[in-house]
Amino acid sequence: MNIVYVFADNPQEWNCSEWRCAVPARAINRTARHRAALLSLKDFTLNTPEAQAVCDPADVIVVQRNLVGPVLTALQHWKARDKTVIADFDDAYNLMPATNVAYRFWVEGIAARPDGREEKIDPLPLAQFKWGLRLAHAATVPSKRLADDWRAYADMHYVPNYIDLEKYQNVAAAPRDGIVLGWGGSLSHLQSFTGSSILAALKRVCRARPQMKVMICGNDRRIFDHLPLPPAQKILRPWVPYAEWPRRLAEFDIGLAPLFGQYDERRSWIKVLEYLVMKIPWVASDGPAYHDLRPYGWLVKNIPSAWERVLLDMVDHLDDYKVEAAREPYLFGISQAIDVNVDKIIATYAEIAGRTNGRAQP
């Protein structure tokens, strides 16, 4: 099978496209039985020579998230040429909170122009996204809840985010100054902290255990500013390229994964999966996103006392928790490696293509 991944991220935000496009593409090519190529959304919409060169021989074209404007035209173009076209997305755009920086685009239809001015998109991107799902032969998502949400618009398939283990192995442990509770993420998680009650719990825990520090990684300074902690007990680390991220993770003693609200219920398991393969003990909000990982860490209710009780116990018995994290949690984490699961992705595409063309793909 020959697959093309049309990625949406630009270099300054490269993350989702790594997980949903680049990681599976590399694994597919490592099989030597199938082929995969990466193509930018810009080249795809402009139908550049590069786009034609990779899409002409393709069996399947996977288009990431931005089913808006000229992307829909390009999607129809290749669909008319007997390509199986699959939409892939990993966010609940219809449930996006106003604190998310992408809210203005998806919900309000306001986009920045190259000259710095803003323009109104009509019809709204969310409406166009729904059209795109109906045009595609199927859609893949890394959340079971997302798959259930959108079945009225597309043939939905759950394809988890599998991890490229090579990036996370042989990462040297970082020097410690106290016990570090860590979190890293994009500009879409402010409500995860303000709504989950973790801020109040962190204030209590850090007051009770002065050796503790909270590290926030990424470009959302709003989360860091909301931490009700003394300056000496909170650390801000800027966004780093994906290749450097595991070294930043190695600075964590305990991983945090707070979630809040319906939008967060549709997230994937990336954060906790990374903690598992890095042997980092973790605590997360109880909910659909991390339900399958319950045996391998702590899921808590979003009340301050629940977070506080678990965090204090983890801090006071950290060595024991680290030993445990290196056992079954780690083994489960590495079982979700992309190379172990790439055949599942191929099988999903073959099933969709078989329905599309009335025959199974090689």
Side-chain angles (χ1 to χ4, degrees):
M1 183 179 289
N2 191 331
I3 301 133
V4 173
Y5 287 95
V6 180
F7 61 86
D9 284 356
N10 60 53
Q12 292 73 38
E13 64 179 1
W14 188 262
N15 184 49
C16 292
S17 292
E18 177 71 19
W19 286 89
R20 301 303 293 172
C21 301
V23 167
R26 290 195 298 265
I28 287 167
N29 286 326
R30 285 194 292 266
T31 68
R33 302 188 308 274
H34 308 282
R35 289 180 295 169
L38 295 173
L39 181 70
S40 74
L41 201 65
K42 181 179 180 180
D43 283 330
F44 181 67
T45 56
L46 294 176
N47 198 26
T48 63
E50 181 183 355
Q52 295 174 40
V54 298
C55 290
D56 276 336
D59 300 302
V60 173
I61 301 174
V62 181
V63 183
Q64 190 187 24
R65 102 167 159 253
N66 289 350
L67 308 181
V68 178
V71 177
L72 301 182
T73 304
L75 190 154
Q76 290 175 301
H77 172 85
W78 290 108
K79 186 177 177 184
R81 284 155 179 77
D82 295 325
K83 307 301 178 184
T84 298
V85 179
I86 300 172
D88 184 89
F89 62 101
D90 61 356
D91 278 320
Y93 308 115
N94 57 321
L95 299 172
M96 188 171 282
T99 54
N100 190 314
V101 294
Y103 178 88
R104 297 192 75 208
F105 175 78
W106 284 105
V107 180
E108 297 179 344
I110 299 174
R113 293 163 43 126
D115 61 9
R117 291 185 294 173
E118 294 182 337
E119 64 179 351
K120 182 74 174 180
I121 300 174
D122 186 28
L124 290 173
L126 190 55
Q128 296 188 51
F129 177 78
K130 294 175 181 178
W131 300 344
L133 288 182
R134 288 193 170 105
L135 284 172
H137 292 111
T140 51
V141 291
S143 158
K144 295 175 183 176
R145 185 66 63 91
L146 267 184
D148 290 340
D149 287 349
W150 293 93
R151 292 196 191 282
Y153 295 89
D155 174 23
M156 300 297 301
H157 295 259
Y158 170 62
V159 176
N161 282 318
Y162 296 115
I163 196 163
D164 190 347
L165 273 185
E166 182 183 2
K167 306 292 183 183
Y168 299 83
Q169 293 176 330
N170 302 317
V171 180
R176 295 291 194 275
D177 179 17
I179 295 175
V180 176
L181 280 63
W183 177 92
S186 66
L187 297 170
S188 66
H189 290 269
L190 180 60
Q191 82 289 342
S192 306
F193 278 80
T194 58
S196 65
S197 298
I198 192 174
L199 293 174
L202 289 173
K203 181 179 181 179
R204 298 177 188 175
V205 171
C206 287
R207 182 180 296 166
R209 302 292 186 272
Q211 76 273 31
M212 285 179 51
K213 297 182 179 182
V214 177
M215 179 184 293
I216 301 297
C217 304
N219 287 338
D220 198 345
R221 188 182 175 93
R222 297 175 301 172
I223 294 173
F224 178 79
D225 290 341
H226 273 78
L227 287 175
L229 305 176
Q233 283 188 282
K234 59 181 184 178
I235 305 165
L236 182 64
R237 291 281 191 267
W239 180 89
V240 293
Y242 175 74
E244 298 177 26
W245 173 238
R247 289 197 293 274
R248 187 59 50 80
L249 272 174
E251 298 182 50
F252 296 5
D253 290 297
I254 296 170
L256 304 175
L259 297 176
F260 175 76
Q262 295 187 69
Y263 178 77
D264 278 357
E265 287 181 0
R266 277 83 179 164
R267 292 194 185 271
S268 77
W269 63 9
I270 284 178
K271 279 185 177 50
V272 172
L273 182 58
E274 288 185 318
Y275 297 152
L276 295 179
V277 300
M278 292 289 289
K279 304 178 185 178
I280 299 171
W282 57 272
V283 56
S285 296
D286 196 0
Y290 303 133
H291 178 79
D292 291 343
L293 305 180
R294 180 183 296 275
Y296 309 111
W298 282 98
L299 297 182
V300 299
K301 294 181 179 179
N302 279 335
I303 55 176
S305 60
W307 285 101
E308 181 181 9
R309 177 180 59 82
V310 171
L311 287 172
L312 283 174
D313 191 68
M314 294 179 81
V315 169
D316 292 344
H317 304 92
L318 184 57
D319 289 342
D320 293 337
Y321 276 93
K322 287 186 174 183
V323 169
E324 179 60 29
R327 293 173 176 169
E328 285 79 6
Y330 173 70
L331 294 176
F332 178 83
I334 62 175
S335 77
Q336 302 308 304
I338 183 65
D339 291 291
V340 178
N341 292 281
V342 66
D343 286 344
K344 296 178 183 177
I345 297 176
I346 293 294
T348 299
Y349 295 163
E351 177 188 347
I352 296 167
R355 294 179 186 175
T356 301
N357 303 321
R359 63 183 187 277
Q361 291 292 318

